[in-house]
Amino acid sequence: MKSFLRHLLILLIPITIFGQRYDQEKLEELAEKYTKQSFTELIDILSIPNDAIFPESLEENIQWCEKAFGNRNFKTTRIPTAVAPLLLAERKGKKAKKTVLIYLQIDGQPVDTTRWFQKSPYIPVFKEKEASGNWKTLENYDLNNYQDDWRIFARSASDAKGPVAMFLAALDAISEKNFEPNYNIKVIMDFEEELGSPRLPQAVIDNRELLKSDMMVIFDGPLHITNKPTLVFGARGIATITLTTYGPIVPQHSGHYGNYAPNPAFGLSKLLASMKDDEGRVSIPGYYDGITLDEDTKKILRGVPDDEDFIRNKLQIADIDKVGSNYQEAIQYPSLNIRGMQSGWINEKARTIVPSWARAEIDVRLVLESDPHRLIKLISSHVENQGYLVLDREPTKEERLSNKRIATFTHELSYQSFRTEMNSDVGIWLENALEKAFEDDIIKIRMGGGSIPISPFVNTLGIPAVIVPTVNMDNNQHSPNENLRLGNYRDGIKTMIAILTEKL
Ligand SMILES: [Zn+2]
């Protein structure tokens, strides 16, 4: 019996290997073909302005998506909210037992057109890096002979219309082969992601039945910095705080009143400085409570091939904050970050004044273990403990006259963090698909540092979620000159074909 099995195995192994190779080659070929075919559609979607601060500009994006998915036999439904709707596109699979909910983000960050090295962030251009390191706009180019290192520059090229175009291309590729996934697909499109998806949590609660699914896949975000196939099993949530301190009611001449009228910028600086120790750790007691990383978790975190010398070199920083002992560990904790500060005027507008106020904008990236309300309370109590009268509005004259230190503290909780087990059904399914596509080890990240509005789905629908990133890390997302590397675009399409063809 034993030797029979051995013979059978010997016979079977080459077949399996051959089968996998064949699959991989077929995938490669299909991805290549549909990369070239889909450039027109990629350029098309990137040409529509999508800054969600202007809801009227979103309508064209919504209609574009309705048409794109409608053409591919999806039924689309607008889920209304007070401002921009969410869009749901559904397609049933043959003999499907399970439903996969796919999240796509359509809106983009605001643009400062003066800082883009092209006519408009909404007129995509292709560029190539010169030996000098500068990006040169391609004039006469043939996209049928595109090079992997060429990039398309436009707002949302990477974050996250690129992945939308990849997904549409992958759907076309499988339909050419008459292949149908053995699961139902629901695609949820968010048009307010860059605003923090303020209306999404309620919309998910109100449409629980409509969105009912077994698991969630998010096509968003950059690959690990090595640009190797990556899966991300969680993301930090986010809350924001605005903190203002006060001096004289209007700015005063610094010659007449310097040494006399207290300066709110010094007050704010001290307050902020008191929140962290010299090693970059939050010094407010209890801030990191509840987070313990056991040996297994630490092993998973160490398994991510981060080259920290490279990161420090790229960021040009001599030392790092000592929250965790490495990069991956650091992002398992909540952050406390000053994202901007203002008081008086600076640069050519600098004036010799004692400013009347100073303000810091703060963001707090959240992790699963820490209750966001508790963290916010800890920070506001800390301000109080420094002798401040803490208000959620501007102070009155009476309050100004009777309190030496006054701060306005307002906050907004966008959404909580989420995290999925790596050995969950959805995790294993995606890992199998990616392994087939790339014949390579998959980099598995326990939790990404950035935030995406997935916890409302995870918590309300009770489903696990995993992020499948595709774009290059150095894509300038949220900044001028956002771009997408064409090799990543093709591999993204390949990734999505692999997922669509992987049995669930
Ligand atoms: Zn973004």
Side-chain angles (χ1 to χ4, degrees):
M1 191 64 187
K2 261 188 188 157
S3 87
F4 168 74
L5 266 178
R6 200 178 305 130
H7 278 105
L8 191 68
L9 273 174
I10 289 164
L11 273 173
L12 275 173
I13 287 166
I15 295 171
T16 319
I17 290 170
F18 177 76
Q20 273 199 347
R21 267 208 68 71
Y22 180 61
D23 274 357
Q24 216 253 354
E25 272 168 22
K26 200 161 66 178
L27 266 172
E28 189 82 42
E29 215 175 275
L30 258 183
E32 191 63 45
K33 178 173 173 190
Y34 281 86
T35 298
K36 291 172 185 169
Q37 281 195 18
S38 69
F39 279 132
T40 324
E41 202 164 34
L42 173 66
I43 293 167
D44 201 32
I45 190 174
L46 291 176
S47 304
I48 315 169
N50 63 343
D51 182 352
I53 290 172
F54 309 108
E56 60 283 358
S57 80
L58 291 180
E59 179 57 30
E60 201 185 332
N61 287 278
I62 299 167
Q63 287 180 17
W64 192 97
C65 294
E66 282 173 332
K67 207 169 143 208
F69 281 92
N71 287 344
R72 290 164 174 97
N73 300 322
F74 280 76
K75 183 181 134 232
T76 60
T77 314
R78 288 188 187 208
I79 298 176
T81 77
V83 187
L86 291 155
L87 186 64
L88 176 70
E90 296 174 81
R91 196 168 88 177
K92 293 227 179 318
K94 259 187 211 147
K95 292 185 195 156
K97 287 198 185 75
K98 291 194 170 155
T99 301
V100 177
L101 183 62
I102 290 168
Y103 173 90
L104 298 175
Q105 173 203 337
I106 314 293
D107 65 311
Q109 282 273 324
V111 292
D112 174 356
T113 48
T114 62
R115 293 177 59 205
W116 284 71
F117 305 131
Q118 67 197 66
K119 207 165 159 194
S120 155
Y122 303 118
I123 303 175
V125 292
F126 290 88
K127 296 190 185 188
E128 173 178 45
K129 205 178 211 165
E130 291 178 304
S132 63
N134 291 333
W135 287 99
K136 187 186 85 186
T137 306
L138 294 169
E139 301 293 348
N140 294 313
Y141 55 88
D142 175 13
L143 286 178
N144 276 319
N145 291 303
Y146 75 91
Q147 287 173 25
D148 282 4
D149 285 329
W150 288 2
R151 296 190 184 192
I152 182 167
F153 282 72
R155 172 53 87 227
S156 295
S158 270
D159 181 21
K161 280 180 170 177
V164 176
M166 291 172 198
F167 184 59
L168 294 171
L171 287 169
D172 292 344
I174 61 161
S175 102
E176 181 200 287
K177 298 284 170 204
N178 288 322
F179 186 90
E180 267 197 52
N182 76 331
Y183 52 89
N184 303 313
I185 305 175
K186 290 185 181 177
V187 183
I188 186 76
M189 283 163 265
D190 188 351
F191 297 84
E192 291 189 323
E193 199 271 351
E194 301 294 2
L195 301 181
S197 307
R199 287 158 277 273
L200 183 132
Q202 191 57 46
V204 178
I205 293 171
D206 295 343
N207 294 277
R208 202 178 272 140
E209 269 312 301
L210 197 58
L211 297 169
K212 197 167 177 251
S213 316
D214 297 287
M215 57 190 73
M216 186 166 188
V217 176
I218 301 111
F219 292 132
D220 197 1
L223 295 174
H224 181 259
I225 197 158
T226 52
N227 213 30
K228 284 181 171 239
T230 308
L231 288 173
V232 184
F233 290 82
R236 291 196 287 191
I238 182 165
T240 54
I241 295 169
T242 302
L243 179 62
T244 310
T245 54
Y246 298 92
I249 183 76
V250 290
Q252 296 298 324
H253 190 287
S254 67
H256 299 160
Y257 288 104
N259 285 359
Y260 187 81
N263 186 313
F266 277 104
L268 182 68
S269 308
K270 276 194 173 175
L271 202 46
L272 294 170
S274 70
M275 293 180 186
K276 283 204 172 181
D277 66 17
D278 291 344
E279 303 287 6
R281 284 180 297 242
V282 175
S283 46
I284 303 170
Y287 200 79
Y288 300 126
D289 277 6
I291 303 150
T292 45
L293 304 176
D294 59 24
E295 215 16 72
D296 285 351
T297 306
K298 284 187 174 174
K299 206 172 144 199
I300 287 170
L301 298 173
R302 278 197 303 271
V304 181
D306 291 325
D307 179 346
E308 300 209 20
D309 289 334
F310 176 82
I311 299 176
R312 279 195 295 270
N313 187 53
K314 199 174 157 70
L315 271 52
Q316 300 193 22
I317 51 173
D319 202 2
I320 56 164
D321 286 347
K322 304 288 186 313
V323 179
S325 53
N326 56 48
Y327 173 72
Q328 293 299 329
E329 272 188 29
I331 55 181
Q332 309 303 314
Y333 293 87
S335 70
L336 198 171
N337 174 55
I338 303 168
R339 56 182 181 144
M341 288 165 85
Q342 196 177 324
S343 187
W345 290 264
I346 62 162
N347 298 332
E348 68 281 7
K349 288 185 181 144
R351 301 172 190 187
T352 43
I353 53 153
V354 176
S356 66
W357 55 264
R359 182 167 300 148
E361 298 287 357
I362 293 170
D363 63 60
V364 173
R365 300 282 174 171
L366 305 162
V367 303
L368 212 51
E369 288 82 358
S370 42
D371 173 6
H373 299 287
R374 191 181 72 86
L375 289 187
I376 300 288
K377 183 77 196 134
L378 279 176
I379 302 167
S380 78
S381 302
H382 176 78
V383 176
E384 237 165 38
N385 292 340
Q386 311 305 304
Y388 277 82
L389 169 69
V390 177
L391 303 170
D392 60 359
R393 51 166 173 81
E394 281 203 20
T396 61
K397 182 176 180 181
E398 287 68 34
E399 285 162 342
R400 285 172 179 271
L401 285 171
S402 53
N403 292 278
K404 203 171 145 185
R405 293 180 183 143
I406 306 176
T408 298
F409 184 106
T410 54
H411 77 276
E412 214 168 293
L413 166 60
S414 295
Y415 41 82
Q416 201 10 335
S417 152
F418 81 94
R419 207 167 65 220
T420 297
E421 291 297 325
M422 289 184 178
N423 59 5
S424 55
D425 286 353
V426 58
I428 292 166
W429 172 60
L430 291 171
E431 197 179 345
N432 286 342
L434 263 66
E435 268 173 356
K436 194 193 284 172
F438 296 98
E439 291 183 329
D440 201 351
D441 280 340
I442 309 304
I443 296 174
K444 293 190 280 181
I445 294 177
R446 183 179 190 244
M447 190 157 58
S451 305
I452 45 171
I454 299 309
S455 69
F457 294 99
V458 169
N459 297 335
T460 307
L461 305 177
I463 52 173
V466 178
I467 303 166
V468 180
T470 51
V471 304
N472 41 298
M473 178 72 96
D474 59 346
N475 65 53
N476 290 341
Q477 75 184 77
H478 291 201
S479 297
N481 305 303
E482 180 176 350
N483 62 77
L484 169 61
R485 184 179 165 273
L486 300 191
N488 282 70
Y489 183 63
R490 186 213 38 246
D491 285 349
I493 293 173
K494 190 163 108 176
T495 300
M496 294 183 197
I497 301 173
I499 294 171
L500 286 167
T501 52
E502 184 71 26
K503 291 266 179 289
L504 188 60

